[in-house]
Every structure is written in structure tokens, then in C-alpha cells.
Amino acid sequence: MQRSKMVDRRARERQHGSAMVIALLVMAMLTLLGVSFLLMGETENRIAQNEKRGEQALYTAESGVRMVKRWFDRPGDAGNLRNPPLAVIDRSLRMIDADGDPATAPVAADGTAARPFYKQGIDEDADGADDVFRKPYRGSLEHTLLGTEDGPDMRIDEAASPAAKAFLTDLSGALMGNYPAAAQGIRARVVRIDVYAPPYVEQAGAWLRFGMATVKVIGRIYRVLPDGTEQSLGQRMVKVVLNEIPFNPSGDLGPLHSCDYLTWNGEFSVHWGIATAVNDADLHNNHDKQAVSLARVAPPDRSTDLLWGWDNPADFAAYKAAIDGLIVEDPWVRFMTEGTWLDAPNANPQPFPFSWVPGTPLDDGDIPYHPAAVPGPWHPNWWDGSHSNMFQHLPVGCPEFDYELWKAIAQSGSPFVHYYTWEAGTTFKENGLGAAIPFRDITDDQTGLFFFDTADGVAPYDDAADGEYDNLTPKIKIQGGTWGVRGMLYLNAFSFQSHGVKGRDATFKAPGEPFQDADQNRRWDPGEDWINLDYPTKLSGPGSDYVADAGDTMQDDGLPGGAAIRNSRGPAIDDEANIWGIMYNNGYYDATGNATYYGSVVSKSGIGEFDPSAGTPDHYWDESLRDDWPPDGWNLPRVAITRWETDM
């Protein structure tokens, strides 16, 4: 009995010992699990913190990218948060890759004419500094961004100089303030900005530029330590491709373009540039309503303007002398159709050729103006002027304003850019929200880029195959009162017309003096002769004539000087315009109604005079549309971001 009790006691003692061991093991396991969870939690916390800092650095780089875009949109504008001084931009790193072909090595810029630095010596605004962010962005080596990622055209790097770091620090403070946690000593900064060539894409064996520029920005999140040094907490890179917004998609707009027919039986007029039609064009009374101009020969396309004698300096000089002192009705106006001038006397590309022989008097059809209805004393038999500025059966083409591209630009959210959906009649809603507003109220006395969508919000289509788009919004007609808009109007209306409308203030400038384009590069080059003009100081009425005057000494500032120079633009003329800029309509343009347009009007469906009794519109070409538009101060975007890339 006693032995049995001893055995039981010992068994219970052994059980107590094993329970303690098990308890210790469980406690150890739980401790290990707890520590693991703590370590895992700490690791997850650090991962989350690193991701957070990485995202913050990404946002910092994105902010820097948008600032660089703004420098191109509004170069030197006082409204920019910060503008980089030229001293902090390093242009000496440039490696010129002129063809994009990876088989051809880029060459280092050295400041010579053959290898210039970007915008070297280009100071068109005469502020004493090279115009590194101003138009044009193409043309010569100086103007085109041709650098590589390792040898950019421009770099602002905080590691390059104290001045560059100070600028980037100041810029980052202006962009992001105390972001993300200044009270904890944690700040954000853009640490490097590179600008270089866009990507190249090979097509049919040729390397084509896919954009205007690449912008690469590195953003950093850092902590300022007690000793003043910086600890990097996260760094990210954002790379974007910039494209120039194609306000002049073909580079050769004029005051009026029809992508179909052009019916011209009324009184509307075109000034200072080329009017074109892809289909046939119908003239009024043969040609007596069309302005005459300087003598010309048939060009290879609408882009090239060839004055008579362009390839013969002696002929050009003889003609210049023959017309000296004469009125030139419009030195720049031209008319061209890919089809037929329905009232032309023949089917020749130039139905009214200039056949003057140097050394003989200018004859009927040779002089650059329409004589008065009553014969004058100078030559009582002259009744017509030179219409050698009219061409047919030549390649014209349609200036294409791509629907999807312009819709994307309008929806980009940039300042002064507006997208409207159709509601009813001629009322629209901005971004499809809020109250519907009439077209007239949306645009009057406004400056901006305005995109008015189709009735169903998709690209124009012609399912009925009747030659007219099926989904355009109703006709827009502006009638009576005062109405004017500046900028870009993209319409998808059946037609557009204005009638009896007073315009808003506008500043007109005639084009530069016509020149002998001997190399057909569309630019005046030193050594090329030109027609010296005495410009008028008003658009119409007495005193509005252009006169060929070899002795005129007007300078580019509009004031007389000591010697004759070729003026790059005419003097400023203050007047009124209903549209100052560009109007594109996928529908028709009704060329009736008293109105003045300064810029370019393009109609996809055709141009006609559907209400001939409604008045006479005037269309003036704004030559700045060629390479320096929109004007400073309009705040319209000049570039758009078309591709994003990060270092994810």
C-alpha cells in the first residue's frame, strides 16, 4: 500500500516536470512568434514607409515635369512660379544626334556653326539672353532639341553648382511648400532636370522623331539631420515626351482653307496670304473680285511662294524697278485649288500668266493693282491688274486638325483649355457638367482653346454616305451686337456664320516684305532681294494702300531709319476682329455676314456663300501662326505631354 502511494507520487512529480517543460516550450514558441510578428510588422512598416517616400518622390518629379512644360508654354512669364536663369542651365553637355539612327554616333557640341549649343545666339525677344524655351523648336541645329539622355541639350543639376542647387531648392519650395513634413525635417526637392531629343521611331527605313522633346526629372525626399547634412529617404525619376501643339499642322496655313469646294460668288475677301480649296473653286465674274498682287510663277506646292524672277536676280531687279512707286493691291495674297477654277479661261496651272518682257512697259494684266473704273491719265486703257497669283490643278491638301488629338488636348486640364459637350441647339456644357451655356456666351471676349464636341461625343462620321457628317451639332450663327474671341476654336457644327457683328479689339500686323526666295526654303536669307514696301497704317479705306517704294526706310519697330531694310512684319494696326486666331470646323463655313477674321479659318466640309445678302467678311492672315503662335500673354499651351514613363 505504501509502495503504491510512493509510485503514484513519483508519477505525479514526473508529470509536473513534463508540464513545465511543455509550458516553457510553448512560451518560447509564442515568444518567437511574437518577435517574428514584431519583426514582420516592422519590416512591413518600413516597406510601407519606403513606398510612401517613393510615391512622394514620384509626385515631386511629376511637379518638376509640369513646371518644365510651363516654361515651354510661357517662356519667361512673370506668372510662372520660378523661371530658371540662364546661368544655372548647362548646355555644354550636348551630344548632337541629328538623325536618330543608333548606327550613327552622336557628336559633341563645341559652339561652332557646325556643332552649336542649343539656342546658341538666339535672342529673338532681345532681352540679352538666349531664348532656350521659346519657339521655334525646329529648323536649324540651334533650334532643334537633338541631345541624348547622356548628353542632353539642357541640364539643371544640383550637383553641378551651388547656384543650380539654390535654384532647384527655391523652385521646389515654391512648387511644394512644406511638403511632405517640414516640421519633422523631411522635405522634397527636384534635384535634376534634363531636356533632350524625343524618341525616334523607324519607319520604312527612316528614323522619325516622335515628338519635340524629352524631359527627364529626378525628385528626392530627404531628411535634414541635426548637423545640417541630408539623408535621402527616397528618389524617383519621371520622363515625358513633349509635342508641340499643332496650331499650324502643315506649317503653311493661310487666311482661308476649304478641304472641299470653295464657292466664291459674293463679296468676301482674303488678305495677306494664301486661300486654298481641295476641290473645284467657283470665281465671281471671272476674277474681278479677287485681289491682284505681285507677279508670280507656279510653285511646286502651296507652301512655296515664288515671285516672278525668283531664280533670276536680273529679272527680279528689273521688275522691282518697273513697279517702283505703284500701288500693290495685296503683296501676299494668292489663290490655289487642287481642282479647277470654274471661270478660268484655260486649264493651265497658271491661267493668268505673267508674260512681261523686261525693258518693255508694264501692260494690261501686268500691273499689281486694279485701276479705277474711270480711266486715269497715267494709262487710259488699263482696266485690269496681274492675276498671276491664281493657280489650279496643283497639290493643295487639307490642313488636318485631328479630332482625337485636339479632344485630348482640350481634356488635358491645362489652364485656358476648355472641352464642351453638346446639350441642345447651340448650348454646351463644360466637361459635360453644370448648366448648359450658349456658344456665344462661352466664347465672347474670352481667350483660350475651345473644343466643342460632336452631338454624340465621337469623331465625325458619314454612315449615310451622302457627303455630310451625320453627328455634327446644329448651325452656329452669331448675329448682331458685339462678339469676339481670341485663341483656337475647334467646332463640330453643321456650319458657322456671323452676321452684322461688331468685333473686339485686335492688333493686326501685315506679313514681312515679299522676297526673292532663291533657295525655296520659305525664309528670307541675306543676299536675297525683296520688294520694299511703304506700309499703310490702317486696314481699309483711304490711306490703306501698299506702295512699292525702293526708298522706304521703315525699320522693324515701325519707325523710319537711315537705310532700307527688309521688314520682317508690318507696323501694328489697331482694329477689331471677331476671331483672332484659328477657327476649324468639321462642318461648313458660311462666308457671308459682316465680320473680320485675323488668323486662319479652315473648313473640312467646304466653304460657300449660302446667304449672299448677309454682308462681306474679311479674312486676314496672321503670319505669327507660322512659327511664333500663340502670342505672349494669351496663356495658351504651346506643348502637350504625349507620353509618360517612370522608373518603376
Side-chain angles (χ1 to χ4, degrees), residues 241-281:
V241 174
L242 296 182
N243 263 286
E244 183 177 0
I245 293 181
F247 291 110
N248 189 352
S250 55
D252 52 9
L253 286 181
L256 191 67
H257 299 281
S258 170
C259 299
D260 202 305
Y261 65 86
L262 174 60
T263 301
W264 204 326
N265 287 321
E267 301 286 338
F268 79 89
S269 56
V270 171
H271 311 270
W272 299 355
I274 188 169
T276 67
V278 172
N279 212 326
D280 292 343

Side-chain angles (χ1 to χ4, degrees), residues 420-430 433 435-439 442 451-454 473-474 476 493:
Y420 290 91
T421 60
W422 178 70
E423 181 66 13
T426 58
T427 63
F428 299 83
K429 291 182 177 181
E430 186 160 15
L433 304 172
I437 305 173
F439 172 88
I442 291 171
F451 183 97
F452 294 89
D453 211 343
T454 56
T473 62
I476 294 174

Side-chain angles (χ1 to χ4, degrees), residues 140-152:
S140 64
L141 293 176
E142 292 91 347
H143 289 296
T144 311
L145 288 154
L146 297 169
T148 66
E149 188 166 7
D150 295 328

